[in-house]
Amino acid sequence: MRACLAALLCSLLVWPAWSAEPIRIGVTGPFTGGSAPMGLSMRDGIRLAAQELNASGGVIGRPIMLIERDDEARNERGAQVIQELIEKDKVVAGLGIVNTGVALATQQIYQQARVPVITSVATGTFITKQFQPPRYPDNYVFRVSANDRVQAEMIVEEAVDRRGFTKIAIFHDATNYGQLGKLDLVHSLAIRGLGPAVIERFNLRDVDMTSHLRRARAAGVQAILTYGIGPELAHIANAMSVLDWRVPLIGSWTLGMSNFIDEAGPNAEGARMPQTYISEDTTARRSAFLTRYRETYGSERIPVPPAAAQGYDSMLVLAAAIRQAGDTEGEKIREALEGLKERVEGVVMTYDRPFSKTDHEAIDDTSIPYMGEVRNGQVVFAYDRDRLRASGQ
């Protein structure tokens, strides 16, 4: 808390020195509720990058001003705050959005206003494809996170190709995120000539998963593939312990959320999930990011490390596009993003022409995410070869 207050005071003291009009960037995400660990981690990563940019002279001679809004992981609230950011606060671009449903319901507002948005966290496969040419002449929606088609392929590769499981259950929540993630898993299984033995759907805030698990056990399931968020995933892991039935949990990146790991405790051990970033000092860039995070926020632990790293990177990529555009007009920023000339050294990766006119995904395949595993209450590399790859060896 002291570190956060100190950082805020510092920014207030420095701000009057700027004579130029600030560049207003909207930042939205769930800063309260079950998705908050993702939203807060993302927001803190964006803040770190903005502080660094302002400390080095800002962008095109102007300071970055972040205007933050809590969308509460609700579609209606998300639409409201983004409308306000564009119409009232006059933001020139947006960063953030954690929940797939919120993204699908609200990014049309950015699109209609011709204001670029870089999706820092939300992973639904369709997010960047809503406004693609030729149906739409220009697409203002970009993304730096690993989409669910990429993640589903990694999950199924882990379960089927590496570990040889053939009787698979899919457990997913009833949100857009869970429903669409389920379809991506089914697709990846079908490529291998397999189908799920059981598909179980649950709602947000459901706590009793025993009936779902009993059906999976009766079907002889060897592994459970998940698409949900931390609290409900913890209920699955804990219910498995109650039933004295343990099979591997392999799921989307949200199995790395702090509220899954904390609420499941020892029952989280061994869960595996794709991660774009794992909190280890594998490179000097990642070491510096970890140090800055700890010093700024006074915490040794990042609640959701990939969300923080992706938030940080999204701010740097946007800044590079504004520098290239030399302007804050939406169309010019979009064009710069689609033909970015500057190599951006991020935490997740180095962004070397990450987007094009027809491809607004910075991560297109399984070469970037790593397979993480919960060990001793934290996410680490599941495979040593991935740790070596992350360190450039």
Side-chain angles (χ1 to χ4, degrees):
M1 178 63 73
R2 286 183 194 165
C4 291
L5 289 173
L8 177 59
L9 179 59
C10 181
S11 68
L12 289 173
L13 290 172
V14 171
W15 188 264
W18 292 93
S19 58
E21 179 71 16
I23 298 173
R24 296 169 178 266
I25 308 296
V27 179
T28 61
F31 306 143
T32 55
S35 296
M38 293 184 287
L40 294 171
S41 297
M42 174 200 73
R43 183 200 67 187
D44 288 348
I46 293 171
R47 285 180 176 180
L48 277 183
Q51 289 170 13
E52 291 176 7
L53 290 163
N54 285 341
S56 62
V59 180
I60 58 172
R62 296 165 60 185
I64 295 292
M65 175 187 284
L66 302 178
I67 304 175
E68 302 167 353
R69 296 288 185 271
D70 181 3
D71 64 28
E72 302 171 8
R74 295 193 297 117
N75 297 357
E76 302 82 3
R77 173 67 177 167
Q80 176 189 346
V81 298
I82 289 173
Q83 198 81 51
E84 290 175 356
L85 285 171
I86 292 172
E87 295 180 358
K88 178 183 175 182
D89 298 302
K90 307 300 182 184
V91 300
V92 302
L95 297 173
I97 308 184
V98 165
N99 302 89
T100 291
V102 175
L104 293 174
T106 64
Q107 288 183 328
Q108 61 185 320
I109 301 171
Y110 281 114
Q111 177 72 18
Q112 291 167 357
R114 301 175 72 81
V115 172
V117 56
I118 300 181
T119 309
S120 308
V121 175
T123 57
T125 300
F126 191 59
I127 285 172
T128 60
K129 297 175 172 55
Q130 294 186 88
F131 310 109
Q132 276 188 316
R135 184 177 178 187
Y136 294 85
D138 300 307
N139 183 2
Y140 283 79
V141 180
F142 299 80
R143 172 161 49 194
V144 297
S145 55
N147 69 63
D148 288 332
R149 181 59 61 88
V150 169
Q151 291 194 57
E153 179 60 22
M154 288 186 68
I155 294 163
V156 173
E157 180 183 80
E158 172 70 18
V160 177
D161 300 348
R162 287 179 173 167
R163 301 174 74 172
F165 300 130
T166 56
K167 288 192 174 182
I168 304 291
I170 296 175
F171 278 47
H172 70 94
D173 69 29
T175 67
N176 279 293
Y177 174 66
Q179 299 273 35
L180 296 173
K182 172 199 70 177
L183 295 178
D184 285 328
L185 287 173
V186 169
H187 174 79
S188 289
L189 286 169
I191 291 172
R192 293 160 172 81
L194 295 173
V198 172
I199 296 179
E200 293 290 337
R201 170 178 149 166
F202 52 89
N203 296 311
L204 294 181
R205 291 176 288 280
D206 279 357
V207 296
D208 186 359
M209 303 291 183
T210 54
S211 60
H212 306 72
L213 290 166
R214 285 193 179 102
R215 287 189 289 269
R217 181 171 62 181
V221 161
Q222 300 165 306
I224 296 175
L225 312 187
T226 64
Y227 252 89
I229 61 172
E232 290 75 37
L233 297 176
H235 294 318
I236 293 171
N238 291 336
M240 290 171 69
S241 178
V242 170
L243 294 174
D244 194 25
W245 180 61
R246 184 73 178 176
V247 296
L249 279 180
I250 309 168
S252 63
W253 74 291
T254 50
L255 279 170
M257 290 177 66
S258 58
N259 53 6
F260 166 70
I261 295 171
D262 293 346
E263 293 177 29
N267 299 322
E269 293 293 301
R272 290 189 176 182
M273 76 302 290
Q275 301 280 274
T276 58
Y277 168 70
I278 291 172
S279 293
E280 292 189 21
D281 295 335
T282 51
T283 66
R285 182 67 167 152
R286 290 172 185 144
S287 178
F289 172 75
L290 273 175
T291 299
R292 282 265 295 132
Y293 185 96
R294 290 165 177 163
E295 289 176 348
T296 301
Y297 302 113
S299 173
E300 285 295 310
R301 184 191 195 191
I302 305 176
V304 185
Q310 290 161 193
Y312 180 90
D313 287 4
S314 65
M315 182 70 255
L316 295 185
V317 170
L318 176 60
I322 294 172
R323 276 195 296 270
Q324 182 171 312
D327 200 312
T328 56
E329 199 275 321
E331 184 173 356
K332 292 180 181 178
I333 297 174
R334 174 190 57 76
E335 289 175 348
L337 284 168
E338 291 176 342
L340 199 61
K341 297 173 183 176
E342 179 182 336
R343 281 170 55 94
V344 178
E345 296 290 337
V347 176
V348 171
M349 59 187 280
T350 296
Y351 298 84
D352 188 359
R353 296 190 176 272
F355 309 117
S356 69
K357 178 74 173 177
T358 57
D359 183 2
H360 284 194
E361 300 277 2
I363 298 175
D364 287 303
D365 55 43
T366 61
S367 63
I368 295 298
Y370 312 99
M371 188 56 65
E373 179 179 324
V374 179
R375 291 182 200 158
N376 300 317
Q378 61 183 341
V379 177
V380 300
F381 289 94
Y383 298 101
D384 287 338
R385 61 176 176 271
D386 280 349
R387 182 181 291 104
L388 293 173
R389 182 161 61 91
S391 63
Q393 298 182 41

